[in-house]
Amino acid sequence: MTEPLATWLYAVTAAPVGGAPPHGLTGVADEPVRLVERAGLAAVVGSVPLADFDEDALRDHLEDLEWLERTARAHHRVINGAARLGQVIPLRFATLYHDDDRVRAMLEERREDFTATLRRVTGRTEWGVKAYVDPASFLPDPDEGESGGDSPGTAYLMRRRAQRQDQETAHLRATERAEEIHASLAALAVATAAHPPQDAALAAYEGWMVLNNSYLVPDDRTEEFTDAVTALKERHPTVTLELSGPWPPYSFTAPPQPAGEVRRAETPS
Amino acid sequence: MTRAIERREVALVDLLDRVLAGGVVIAGEITLTIADIDLVRISLRALIASVRVEDDARGTDGARVAHEGEGDRYDG
């Protein structure tokens, strides 16, 4: 008896001219990775046991951080591996089809879309930049808003209010700084994408994360971009900047969004 | 075995930002709507629980309360 399988999609690429599939790569279920071709495109796929990857099983698994980490890394590893052979369009985690024929039909149907996306990201690479600040560095000077309360109760309330205002001021200043940094980097990128601030426990940082963005940078500006990050680090010693990448263009292969909007970090309480 | 291909391991959080929320969405026949941060938070809870145990052991304060009570949903 054979186990029912489903086809897990990792990426879509232009069909390889040399016909070389990604040898030696294994996927989320340790399965060998292969190509499904149609319409001048190739889907990088693997066959995974349906019992482990149908909707219910996935929901259960996703509660398990160890499983999520292992599987997310496997997904990423395959996409990275395929990217060494040519430009890839990464597919969102957990995109499955019942069989290869349906994948072929999908490639056919979305040919234009994929082709346009491939054109858009080719020769460009995603870089991630995060910024954290220590709120204390952005607090107003203590003598900026001195107030002489009369009764101890009033003085206490005034102090509390001043503290709250100081926090707000600090957050505003930190956000402005982050926007300056973002503007400098965005000038070197062809597109930007904002991710929500990361959870402090998972990302293991202290203070506020004021920037968590991705930049799609033309490959011939890579050095300029990384140099800019280094220069910004020096110019803004109160901000901790972290560069990650190069990434496959995860954040830039979805249908184009209305430009501009960068989500701000929320004020932590 | 080509284990050396991963020249360094990327941070899980950075990876989740991209793998879960990024990439092309196509109407797979079995595609979970896991794009949104809610899912990450659900899984985060498991992690935070384990992080806290370590933190407590080290005597760190309990100030890192992450998104308590938010979104018990899978979908966006």
Side-chain angles (χ1 to χ4, degrees):
Chain A
M1 207 183 102
T2 49
E3 201 176 11
L5 297 171
T7 305
W8 176 292
L9 273 70
Y10 296 92
V12 170
T13 68
V17 184
H23 286 299
L25 277 179
T26 53
V28 293
D30 282 330
E31 85 287 0
V33 168
R34 60 206 165 74
L35 296 179
V36 170
E37 295 183 40
R38 175 62 59 92
L41 297 165
V44 181
V45 305
S47 295
V48 299
L50 197 52
D52 254 345
F53 291 92
D54 70 7
E55 194 160 340
D56 287 343
L58 275 171
R59 283 188 195 288
D60 286 346
H61 281 321
L62 288 166
E63 295 281 353
D64 174 356
L65 200 93
E66 225 172 87
W67 183 93
L68 179 64
E69 168 154 18
R70 187 165 17 94
T71 314
R73 286 196 187 285
H75 186 72
H76 178 62
R77 190 181 59 228
V78 172
I79 292 170
N80 259 347
R84 275 195 294 275
L85 303 171
Q87 183 64 53
V88 294
I89 300 174
L91 289 175
R92 184 169 291 181
F93 188 79
T95 301
L96 291 106
Y97 279 77
H98 281 299
D99 55 43
D100 291 3
D101 280 345
R102 318 251 186 137
V103 175
R104 284 187 199 100
M106 182 276 294
L107 288 177
E108 183 79 59
E109 197 183 307
R110 301 198 31 137
R111 176 209 325 233
E112 276 181 36
D113 222 11
F114 283 131
T115 311
T117 305
L118 276 171
R119 254 202 314 273
R120 191 153 46 85
V121 292
T122 297
R124 298 163 169 183
T125 298
E126 173 170 345
W127 294 88
V129 177
K130 295 190 285 184
Y132 326 87
V133 299
D134 175 358
S137 312
F138 288 85
L139 288 173
D141 290 335
D143 55 348
E144 258 177 57
E146 203 59 51
S147 65
D150 12 21
S151 78
T154 313
Y156 171 77
L157 288 174
M158 297 286 282
R159 215 161 48 236
R160 286 299 299 264
R161 202 177 68 174
Q163 273 170 5
R164 211 170 43 239
Q165 277 170 352
D166 285 355
Q167 288 283 306
E168 281 170 18
T169 306
H171 195 259
L172 190 69
R173 288 178 179 180
T175 310
E176 281 169 3
R177 187 66 53 84
E179 278 169 8
E180 260 173 62
I181 291 170
H182 169 70
S184 312
L185 296 174
L188 302 172
V190 291
T192 68
H195 306 288
Q198 291 170 343
D199 184 276
L202 192 59
Y205 66 91
E206 298 193 354
W208 295 334
M209 180 176 285
V210 289
L211 194 73
N212 183 20
N213 288 355
S214 279
Y215 299 85
L216 187 64
V217 180
D219 291 340
D220 56 12
R221 300 193 92 168
T222 299
E223 210 180 318
E224 206 181 333
F225 187 82
T226 53
D227 286 352
V229 173
T230 311
L232 287 164
K233 276 183 193 171
E234 279 161 22
R235 197 182 325 151
H236 302 291
T238 51
V239 179
T240 306
L241 276 183
E242 262 177 32
L243 175 72
S244 69
W247 294 94
Y250 284 110
S251 308
F252 300 102
T253 41
Q257 308 263 322
E261 263 310 286
V262 169
R263 254 173 89 170
R264 293 182 182 194
E266 288 159 39
T267 313
S269 51
Chain B
M1 286 269 97
T2 44
R3 273 286 140 175
I5 52 168
E6 297 271 77
R7 52 185 189 288
R8 66 191 163 75
E9 191 149 271
V10 298
L12 177 63
V13 268
D14 294 344
L15 185 59
L16 293 182
D17 273 347
R18 292 171 175 83
V19 168
L20 291 189
V24 158
V25 190
I26 55 174
E29 289 167 316
I30 316 164
T31 304
L32 291 182
T33 313
I34 57 169
D36 295 292
I37 205 69
D38 290 330
L39 169 99
V40 182
R41 282 186 186 143
I42 294 164
S43 298
L44 281 182
R45 244 173 238 166
L47 178 98
I48 288 159
S50 64
V51 168
R52 283 229 187 87
V53 173
E54 287 167 28
D55 273 0
D56 290 347
R58 288 202 309 266
T60 311
D61 65 30
R64 295 165 164 192
V65 179
H67 308 292
E68 213 61 82
E70 269 185 56
D72 254 319
R73 294 171 299 119
Y74 284 97
D75 53 359

